[in-house]
């Protein structure tokens, strides 16, 4: 054998071994990647299931929102104002219900000679009608 042939054979053997080692490394990486892909696939499937569950929840909530909207449309009572009469409540006709306006106080309580000028025991002016002397029958002559 010539030395060059031995050298070439050595080169070939070493390159083959290097190639084999790199191939094993590649196979290892490929298997690792496959495992990662499987893990990601599992996680993806879990997420798909979760997404479906969330979509069902969203649909359920959307139905509830629609029902609440329909209920509000059926009875549009503003919850903030408690004093307002509900729309379904029968309103009394104004001609029947309206009380007559109170007459002016002077006409009602004061007589021909005005109000009694005497002061009561409470310290307020007497509310009775006065006679010609400016006092009521009770404070007359006081
Ligand atoms: Zn009086």
């Amino acid at each position: 054998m010539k030395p060059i042939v031995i050298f070439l054979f050595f080169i070939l053997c070493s390159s083959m071994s290097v190639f084999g080692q790199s191939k094993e490394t590649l196979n290892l990486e490929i298997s690792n990647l496959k495992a990662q892909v499987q893990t990601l696939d599992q996680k993806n499937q879990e997420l798909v299931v979760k997404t479906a569950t969330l979509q069902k929840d969203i649909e359920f909530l959307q139905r509830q929102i629609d029902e609440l909207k329909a209920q509000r449309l059926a009875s549009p009572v503003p919850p903030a104002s408690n004093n307002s009469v509900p729309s379904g409540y029968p309103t009394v006709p104004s001609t029947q219900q309206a009380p007559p306006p109170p007459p002016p106080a002077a006409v009602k309580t004061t007589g021909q000679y005005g109000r009694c000028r005497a002061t009561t025991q409470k310290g307020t002016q007497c509310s009775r009608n006065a006679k010609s002397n400016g006092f009521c029958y009770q404070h007359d002559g006081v």
Side-chain angles (χ1 to χ4, degrees), residues 116 118 126 128 136 139:
C116 174
C126 178
R128 293 187 188 89
C136 69
H139 295 119

Side-chain angles (χ1 to χ4, degrees), residues 7-120:
F7 180 72
L8 284 175
F9 181 75
F10 176 74
I11 291 292
L12 188 66
C13 283
S14 61
S15 70
M16 281 285 285
S17 79
V18 165
F19 182 72
Q21 273 181 6
S22 68
K23 199 177 179 182
E24 280 180 15
T25 308
L26 283 174
N27 280 333
L28 208 70
E29 285 182 5
I30 286 168
S31 62
N32 282 337
L33 287 171
K34 278 182 181 175
Q36 283 184 10
V37 166
Q38 279 182 352
T39 308
L40 289 172
D41 258 346
Q42 283 178 0
K43 286 185 179 176
N44 188 37
Q45 281 180 356
E46 287 175 9
L47 286 173
V48 166
V49 172
K50 279 185 184 176
T51 303
T53 309
L54 286 172
Q55 251 171 351
K56 283 179 185 174
D57 285 348
I58 288 168
E59 285 174 9
F60 177 72
L61 289 171
Q62 192 66 51
R63 274 200 298 269
Q64 280 192 332
I65 288 168
D66 288 341
E67 284 178 12
L68 287 172
K69 280 183 183 174
Q71 283 181 6
R72 282 189 68 178
L73 285 173
S75 59
V77 181
S81 59
N82 292 327
N83 293 330
S84 70
V85 179
S87 63
Y89 194 83
T91 53
V92 182
S94 60
T95 55
Q96 201 178 31
Q97 187 261 349
V107 173
K108 183 184 180 185
T109 59
T110 309
Q112 185 182 356
Y113 302 104
R115 195 171 167 186
C116 174
R117 288 182 288 171
T119 305
T120 62

